[in-house]
């Protein structure tokens, strides 16, 4: 994060946006007081990565076996 004077932003806007895209935060100051912050927009539609759910759930060995609790309903 770094600070930049509002008066200097006109000539540096492209560089400031590039910094924000690369993960920086930019604080704009006026009369040495912070007045605004420039941050990157969050990715609204992140693409799931193949294999990202690995080991998040486990299917038990008896998954397809009949449930004993339901025996009375099967008659």
């Amino acid at each position: 994060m770094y600070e930049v004077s509002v008066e200097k932003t006109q000539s540096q806007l492209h560089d400031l946006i590039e910094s924000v895209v690369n993960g920086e935060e930019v604080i704009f100051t006026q009369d040495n007081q912070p007045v605004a912050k420039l941050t990157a927009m969050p990715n609204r539609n992140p693409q799931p990565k193949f294999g990202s759910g690995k080991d998040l759930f486990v299917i038990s060995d008896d998954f397809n076996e009949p449930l004993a609790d339901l025996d009375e309903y099967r008659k």
Side-chain angles (χ1 to χ4, degrees), residues 43-63:
N43 187 356
R44 293 189 182 257
N45 296 319
Q47 295 295 320
K49 295 182 180 172
F50 183 75
S52 63
K54 183 178 180 184
D55 298 328
L56 288 180
F57 61 92
V58 177
I59 298 176
S60 65
D61 293 334
D62 63 347
F63 179 77

Side-chain angles (χ1 to χ4, degrees), residues 35-46:
V35 294
K37 177 168 65 171
L38 182 63
T39 60
M41 295 290 294
N43 187 356
R44 293 189 182 257
N45 296 319

Side-chain angles (χ1 to χ4, degrees), residues 6 17 26 32 35 39 48 65 69 75:
V6 173
I17 292 174
V26 177
N32 293 325
V35 294
T39 60
E65 299 297 320
D69 296 346
K75 296 178 185 181

Side-chain angles (χ1 to χ4, degrees), residues 1-62:
M1 176 174 70
Y2 61 93
E3 296 182 5
V4 63
S5 173
V6 173
E7 293 81 21
K8 295 180 181 179
T9 59
Q10 188 76 10
S11 62
Q12 299 177 353
L13 187 57
H14 184 270
D15 295 334
L16 294 173
I17 292 174
E18 189 67 31
S19 295
V20 168
V21 168
N22 291 325
E24 290 283 333
E25 286 185 350
V26 177
I27 304 294
F28 296 104
T29 61
Q30 193 169 31
D31 299 325
N32 293 325
Q33 297 297 317
V35 294
K37 177 168 65 171
L38 182 63
T39 60
M41 295 290 294
N43 187 356
R44 293 189 182 257
N45 296 319
Q47 295 295 320
K49 295 182 180 172
F50 183 75
S52 63
K54 183 178 180 184
D55 298 328
L56 288 180
F57 61 92
V58 177
I59 298 176
S60 65
D61 293 334
D62 63 347

